[in-house]
Amino acid sequence: MADVTVYPPDEEGGRGVRADGRLLGRAFEVAGIATLLAEAGLPGVDVAGAAWIVWRGGGPDSWVH
């Protein structure tokens, strides 16, 4: 699987998402991360349950800076 990192929430509650060293964008909810991953060629990912996603600054339920 891809090397995916979700960064801590920023001041606006967005979280940066990087896959294989490439910044995919910023998401404001788990569904947004799934969309970014699908656009990068990783469709159908269970974002909250994927063990290969590294969550920094809190897990999939953390969206407040």
Side-chain angles (χ1 to χ4, degrees), residues 3-60:
D3 177 23
V4 176
T5 303
V6 178
Y7 292 94
D10 60 22
E11 303 82 31
E12 298 171 340
R15 299 182 77 161
V17 181
R18 185 176 296 273
D20 292 332
R22 184 175 65 131
L23 184 63
L24 301 181
R26 192 168 72 148
F28 292 87
E29 58 187 17
V30 171
I33 295 173
T35 298
L36 290 171
L37 293 176
E39 290 171 353
L42 296 166
V45 174
D46 173 14
V47 175
W52 45 271
I53 295 178
V54 176
W55 294 86
R56 296 201 174 149

